[in-house]
Amino acid sequence: MAAAAAPGALGTLQASRARLVAACCAPLVPGWRLHRSLAGARVSPAMWARGWAPAAEGAALRRGYSSEVKSEDELRVRYLEEENRGIVVLGINRAYAKNSFSKNLVKMFSKAVDALKSDKKVRTVIVRSEVPGIFCAGADLKERVKMNPSEVGPFVSKIRAVINEMGGTQRLPRAIGMSLAKELIFSARVLDGQEAKAVGLVSHVLEQNQEGDAAYRKALDLAREFLPQGPVAMRVAKLAINQGMEVDLVTGLAIEEACYAQTIPTKDRLEGLLAFKEKRSPRYKGE
């Protein structure tokens, strides 16, 4: 199953080349668009207060995982090929700790994200769990309790740098309104997928399939829809949406106009017009 994005949670002021499609996950990368899909998920607003919307894929967490997982295997980076070329899958693999974020995992995510942001061939990133029955339990509290108080602040800041949608006390009210956000955060209520969708926390709720990867399949379908679109147009559209969410409508329209102006001198815009005239699919290059 997968987690889904709260519409109001996409508040970054940055833009990048890739879109992020999450299967079982919360928003992770500055400027990347996130579509979250739930398959049998339960979402805790208390976790949203810490910037998370955890979800499980499959009926229950399987037992018997070894705690001897090598640190380099805790995050698996997979570049898809053929018709999926341009899609990268980041798989979280800390079964013994329910995929919670440790200092090592945050470091690995940061390194992976930096590499992907500078790769012009990457168009969409899917973040998923490699562990049946769980997406992510949030921060690794067993590790956290051993931290010196002076370490906690920098650690949280490091997570925020990678998972820039953290800040549930600010983002949740923007997504679902102040009154309901307070109710959910104060009560630490856990919502199932349908409830989460009803209040606007998730984009899709799915029936689980026999393979236990319904959310990932949905994320992959969305990623395939994104691939043919113009990279330049997508980048400035994300910028306009993200910045526009933080300002009034008049200012937002001005931001939109400024973003569109950036596309006018590009080769992609001319290619789009030519493709329309010639009644063929455009061949965008991100230039």
Side-chain angles (χ1 to χ4, degrees):
M1 92 114 255
L10 304 178
T12 178
L13 301 185
Q14 303 179 43
S16 66
R17 296 185 181 90
R19 290 195 176 192
L20 177 64
V21 180
C24 298
C25 100
L28 292 180
V29 186
W32 290 358
R33 182 171 180 179
L34 173 68
H35 284 267
R36 291 196 223 143
S37 303
L38 290 165
R42 296 182 68 79
V43 179
S44 167
M47 297 302 290
W48 264 92
R50 297 196 292 272
W52 289 94
E57 181 142 29
L61 179 63
R62 298 177 186 173
R63 305 297 180 184
Y65 286 106
S66 169
S67 62
E68 300 301 321
V69 176
K70 295 180 180 180
S71 60
E72 61 267 25
D73 293 331
E74 292 183 350
L75 183 69
R76 297 170 176 172
V77 181
R78 185 161 58 100
Y79 289 74
L80 304 189
E81 297 294 337
E82 298 178 351
E83 73 273 13
N84 296 322
R85 188 180 301 275
I87 301 173
V88 177
V89 179
L90 300 182
I92 308 175
N93 184 44
R94 294 192 78 222
Y96 67 97
K98 295 185 178 181
N99 282 356
S100 57
F101 269 83
S102 63
K103 288 189 287 188
N104 179 66
L105 185 57
V106 170
K107 180 180 179 179
M108 294 182 70
F109 249 102
S110 180
K111 183 178 179 180
V113 166
D114 287 343
L116 294 174
K117 286 195 295 185
S118 61
D119 188 341
K120 293 183 178 181
K121 296 180 180 180
V122 177
R123 298 294 306 282
T124 302
V125 178
I126 299 176
V127 178
R128 67 171 303 187
S129 171
E130 300 281 338
V131 181
I134 195 75
F135 167 64
C136 177
D140 188 335
L141 299 184
K142 290 183 179 179
E143 182 183 76
R144 178 79 64 86
V145 76
K146 299 177 182 178
M147 289 184 185
N148 186 288
S150 62
E151 296 181 87
V152 176
F155 175 68
V156 172
S157 296
K158 184 65 173 178
I159 295 180
R160 190 183 296 275
V162 179
I163 310 164
N164 82 302
E165 301 300 343
M166 285 186 64
T169 60
Q170 300 305 304
R171 301 190 186 281
L172 190 60
R174 287 170 167 80
I176 64 175
M178 183 183 297
S179 296
L180 184 55
K182 285 182 177 179
E183 177 183 330
L184 297 181
I185 290 173
F186 295 169
S187 66
R189 188 181 307 154
V190 175
L191 307 179
D192 63 25
Q194 292 293 345
E195 291 170 328
K197 186 175 182 181
V199 299
L201 285 178
V202 301
S203 303
H204 303 280
V205 179
L206 310 168
E207 290 291 334
Q208 189 57 276
N209 58 23
Q210 291 185 343
E211 293 77 15
D213 65 351
Y216 171 67
R217 293 297 169 185
K218 178 63 176 180
L220 192 57
D221 287 343
L222 289 169
R224 288 170 178 151
E225 288 186 55
F226 300 160
L227 286 179
Q229 312 309 320
V232 175
M234 288 172 61
R235 184 162 62 246
V236 297
K238 288 182 291 183
L239 183 64
I241 292 170
N242 292 340
Q243 289 190 343
M245 286 293 295
E246 305 297 326
V247 298
D248 61 86
L249 179 59
V250 173
T251 304
L253 291 171
I255 291 172
E256 179 184 75
E257 185 174 352
C259 287
Y260 176 66
Q262 296 181 39
T263 71
I264 294 176
T266 64
K267 295 179 181 179
D268 274 5
R269 187 184 75 90
L270 297 178
E271 165 61 17
L273 294 173
L274 185 61
F276 177 79
K277 178 181 178 181
E278 297 176 352
K279 298 182 180 181
R280 61 172 174 79
S281 298
R283 294 183 288 270
Y284 296 120
K285 297 181 180 180
E287 300 175 353

